[in-house]
Amino acid sequence: MTRQGCHACEVAESDVARICADLGVTWSAVDVDGDPELRGEYGDRVPVILVDDAEHGYWRVEEDRLRAALT
């Protein structure tokens, strides 16, 4: 979950893209401001990382933890 103009989101997206490319895993970014429900749920904590539709973390990517969750 991300937001346009959010520097922390840009950093997280770059980290997730690199990690997922290394592991051959697909990923996508969703802008929370495009949906009132998502904005209400995640808006104060973006970026939020979801793995298999479950919240994995927020504000920054914990690389070792994310790699473990994706393998």
Side-chain angles (χ1 to χ4, degrees):
M1 299 293 148
T2 189
R3 166 176 283 130
Q4 284 189 354
C6 168
H7 177 70
C9 296
E10 293 168 0
V11 171
E13 285 183 47
S14 176
D15 290 343
V16 169
R18 177 179 48 78
I19 293 164
C20 287
D22 287 350
L23 299 174
V25 175
T26 60
W27 71 282
S28 63
V30 176
D31 188 333
V32 298
D33 292 327
D35 181 316
E37 266 188 54
L38 294 177
R39 187 177 333 113
E41 177 72 21
Y42 301 110
D44 293 341
R45 299 179 290 136
V46 293
V48 177
I49 309 301
L50 304 178
V51 175
D52 294 328
D53 295 322
E55 189 171 320
H56 177 75
Y58 58 95
W59 291 338
R60 65 181 190 86
V61 175
E62 297 176 57
E63 184 164 346
D64 292 339
R65 194 167 159 261
L66 181 57
R67 284 181 179 276
L70 295 174
T71 57

